[in-house]
Amino acid sequence: MSEIKQKSVEVFLDELASRQATPGGGSVAAVMGAQSAALTSMVCNLTIGKPKYAEVEEQIKALLQQSETLRIQLTDMIKADVNVFDKLMACYGMPKQTDEEKTIRSTQIQTVLKQATQVPLDCANACAEAISLSRQAAEMGNTGVISDAGVAVMAGYAALKSAALNVYINAGSIKDRQFAETKLAELEAILSDADVATEEIYQIVKEKL
Amino acid sequence: MSEIKQKSVEVFLDELASRQATPGGGSVAAVMGAQSAALTSMVCNLTIGKPKYAEVEEQIKALLQQSETLRIQLTDMIKADVNVFDKLMACYGMPKQTDEEKTIRSTQIQTVLKQATQVPLDCANACAEAISLSRQAAEMGNTGVISDAGVAVMAGYAALKSAALNVYINAGSIKDRQFAETKLAELEAILSDADVATEEIYQIVKEKL
């Protein structure tokens, strides 16, 4: 089966809407995060080389390098979400007749639940970075395409809040509460200033339109 | 050239990041809106037929019909944004040597600016509907996939705020201020309760996880 990123936008949307369990919200979070990074890259690409922005050229080039690295990471996360979900579903499908089978199944579920918590947490982290990069694009980028920095921050924000939901779900089922609480605390730290930062960046853009 | 929706997710992201002027934020707004509608459809498709949700089956079927209609509309808007942008750029490229040429060019720009305001305004309207449909999915849908309703509301919200930026830009350049102010007032009405609605729907989902 081909990877989601190789499917057309239209087919991706069709599969999303269908009764298939994947792709779902986790993949959408990664796609929105990748769109955010891509738009920051676009602003950079349309700023570099313009005499009016010569003063920030080096910073914009560095920003572009970061946003492109992040875009690749987030694009790969589209698949990571599906993979870990499928792995978890396979665990739930394991035999549970004997006590031994029950123990093996339960242990395996717990192991994969930790991975299924880490995957969206990594996505949330990447999305927070996407928000932060969009701020630089909004502050320094070509004002002729500054609205794209505004879309970048909104896409990154929606992606972050979406990834967070998947962390909550999976962390909630983990028996190792110390692990779960640590991950939830990491998530809260990532989320803590996201609302304010997003609003600030959106306003920076709106005032430059 | 093939339509954007027929391109792979990966190629779409590459083109987004590039120095091409389109696709840009306007297309991302439409894609995020379509993702929102698609996820509401997914929740519906995974609710219909489950005995536990028999009581809301008819409402969920009606919701699915609305979300699928909306998904098609928003998917078509990916192209609409590019088309009107290209049309506007073509106007700016019109000859402007003689007074007559200047008048023709200016009149043509003003005509297309009105279209370029209406296109993202229509998108914003559709995104507000996507948010509203995600609330029904969050309230009535299968709690096993309720996080997808949470991603649906965030995608719809980001899409709405993104489309709004393109309304602001184009309305700002319109000389017919009555037209522009009417469109901006329509936008403000659409935006007015979006923040509160989004937060409410997100919380409904979070509490059901």
Side-chain angles (χ1 to χ4, degrees), chain B residues 107-128:
Chain B
T107 306
Q108 192 57 26
I109 288 172
Q110 287 300 317
T111 302
V112 178
L113 272 174
K114 287 186 179 179
Q115 298 166 14
T117 301
Q118 192 62 51
V119 166
L121 185 60
D122 289 343
C123 183
N125 244 319
C127 293

Side-chain angles (χ1 to χ4, degrees), chain B residues 5 9 12 28-29 42 86 92 104 172 195 197 201:
Chain B
K5 68 178 182 184
V9 171
F12 172 63
V28 169
M42 179 187 176
D86 289 347
Y92 282 114
I104 293 171
D195 287 10
I201 299 164

Side-chain angles (χ1 to χ4, degrees), chain B residues 110-174:
Chain B
Q110 287 300 317
T111 302
V112 178
L113 272 174
K114 287 186 179 179
Q115 298 166 14
T117 301
Q118 192 62 51
V119 166
L121 185 60
D122 289 343
C123 183
N125 244 319
C127 293
E129 195 187 336
I131 292 173
S132 161
L133 299 185
S134 75
R135 183 192 291 269
Q136 294 184 54
E139 284 174 345
M140 300 186 295
N142 181 345
T143 53
V145 289
I146 209 68
S147 67
D148 294 303
V151 179
V153 71
M154 292 314 304
Y157 178 69
L160 169 55
K161 297 278 282 187
S162 297
L165 293 174
N166 283 331
V167 177
Y168 295 137
I169 296 174
N170 295 317
S173 304
I174 291 176

Side-chain angles (χ1 to χ4, degrees), chain A residues 40 44 47-48 53-67 133 136-137 139-141:
Chain A
T40 291
C44 292
T47 304
I48 293 167
Y53 300 96
E55 255 186 38
V56 293
E57 173 118 353
E58 288 313 309
Q59 286 156 274
I60 291 284
K61 280 183 180 168
L63 176 59
L64 176 60
Q65 211 157 29
Q66 287 176 280
S67 59
L133 299 186
Q136 293 183 57
E139 285 174 344
M140 300 185 295

Side-chain angles (χ1 to χ4, degrees), chain B residues 29-189:
Chain B
V31 170
M32 291 194 296
Q35 285 176 324
S36 172
L39 286 169
T40 291
S41 295
M42 179 187 176
V43 174
C44 293
N45 277 318
L46 290 164
T47 304
I48 293 166
K50 308 261 184 219
K52 193 175 162 191
Y53 300 95
E55 255 186 39
V56 292
E57 175 116 351
E58 289 313 309
Q59 286 156 275
I60 291 283
K61 280 182 179 169
L63 176 59
L64 176 60
Q65 212 158 28
Q66 289 177 281
S67 59
E68 284 298 274
T69 303
L70 191 63
R71 179 163 76 89
I72 293 163
Q73 284 171 8
L74 280 157
T75 305
D76 283 342
M77 287 179 183
I78 304 170
K79 182 180 58 179
D81 174 78
V82 172
N83 288 353
V84 80
F85 183 89
D86 289 347
K87 213 166 152 183
L88 194 57
M89 288 304 110
C91 290
Y92 282 114
M94 284 169 74
K96 49 175 179 175
Q97 305 281 20
T98 66
D99 282 352
E100 199 196 341
E101 281 175 353
K102 279 180 197 166
T103 307
I104 293 171
R105 177 176 174 273
S106 167
T107 306
Q108 192 57 26
I109 288 172
Q110 287 300 317
T111 302
V112 178
L113 272 174
K114 287 186 179 179
Q115 298 166 14
T117 301
Q118 192 62 51
V119 166
L121 185 60
D122 289 343
C123 183
N125 244 319
C127 293
E129 195 187 336
I131 292 173
S132 161
L133 299 185
S134 75
R135 183 192 291 269
Q136 294 184 54
E139 284 174 345
M140 300 186 295
N142 181 345
T143 53
V145 289
I146 209 68
S147 67
D148 294 303
V151 179
V153 71
M154 292 314 304
Y157 178 69
L160 169 55
K161 297 278 282 187
S162 297
L165 293 174
N166 283 331
V167 177
Y168 295 137
I169 296 174
N170 295 317
S173 304
I174 291 176
K175 287 182 188 159
D176 177 351
R177 292 318 298 162
Q178 199 184 337
F179 175 92
E181 295 306 330
T182 304
K183 295 302 166 183
L184 287 169
E186 278 176 46
L187 177 65
E188 289 317 311

